[in-house]
Amino acid sequence: MSYPKQVYMGDDGEVSADFRSAKTPPNVGTAGGDAIHYLATMTTTHGEFGLYRVQMGPHAGGPGTHFHKTISESFFVLDGTVRLFDGAQWIDARKGDFLHVPQGGLHAFRNDSDSSADMLLLFTPGAPREEYFEKLSLLADATDEERAGFLLKHDSYFVD
């Protein structure tokens, strides 16, 4: 194995870091309830990855079993208990637990507990998931054709 292709061509480094305070309100949802924080988007990472913090209230639903053809998805539980489906079984993942799902891997998640849960979602390579998170709630009123087009655009293939 070797390192990836060189991207930065300078000799002195540059000031280019992107800080996000923990006090920043969520990008989608509300603080204290179900919410998504955009920690690092495809835009800020130049397509390398997308990192999101997902806060789920008690008994929060989640997506059904699905897979992605172009992106992998990883889950890291920060707090609480998140039910993760690894394609074969449901796992009660707790603080510090991690699940990586490569392209094509079946997966799902939800919070079935009586307490809130908090986790990180990592997509690699980066993908424009922000529109997916922001418009997902609109699918309830979408036609079957609109729903299918939205899911195809966002590399989400549901099997149940």
Side-chain angles (χ1 to χ4, degrees):
M1 291 203 107
S2 62
Y3 275 83
K5 180 181 139 195
Q6 182 177 335
V7 173
Y8 177 72
M9 302 303 172
D11 293 324
D12 300 319
E14 64 185 18
V15 177
S16 56
D18 187 21
F19 175 77
R20 186 177 191 282
S21 169
K23 295 178 182 179
T24 304
N27 299 88
V28 176
T30 59
D34 296 340
I36 300 175
H37 299 262
Y38 301 168
L39 302 179
T41 65
M42 178 178 130
T43 302
T44 60
T45 68
H46 306 285
E48 293 177 4
F49 66 93
L51 182 64
Y52 306 87
R53 179 179 170 197
V54 178
Q55 295 175 295
M56 295 175 285
H59 301 283
T65 303
H66 65 285
F67 64 94
H68 309 288
K69 293 183 177 183
T70 64
I71 53 177
S72 70
E73 188 169 357
S74 296
F75 304 83
F76 182 80
V77 179
L78 297 169
D79 198 24
T81 302
V82 179
R83 299 256 316 147
L84 298 175
F85 183 63
D86 68 0
Q89 64 183 340
W90 284 96
I91 302 162
D92 284 329
R94 292 178 175 78
K95 183 177 180 176
D97 288 343
F98 175 79
L99 174 68
H100 171 73
V101 183
Q103 292 89 336
L106 295 170
H107 61 285
F109 68 88
R110 63 182 189 240
N111 179 6
D112 288 343
S113 76
D114 293 332
S115 300
S116 296
D118 201 359
M119 73 176 171
L120 295 176
L121 284 182
L122 173 69
F123 295 96
T124 58
R129 297 304 282 177
E130 299 79 32
E131 182 184 45
Y132 178 83
F133 295 135
E134 292 164 8
K135 295 186 176 179
L136 186 61
S137 64
L138 303 177
L139 289 185
D141 297 324
T143 66
D144 289 344
E145 185 176 315
E146 290 169 332
R147 186 177 296 107
F150 179 84
L151 294 175
L152 181 64
K153 177 182 180 181
H154 293 287
D155 188 30
S156 296
Y157 302 88
F158 285 83
V159 299
D160 63 0

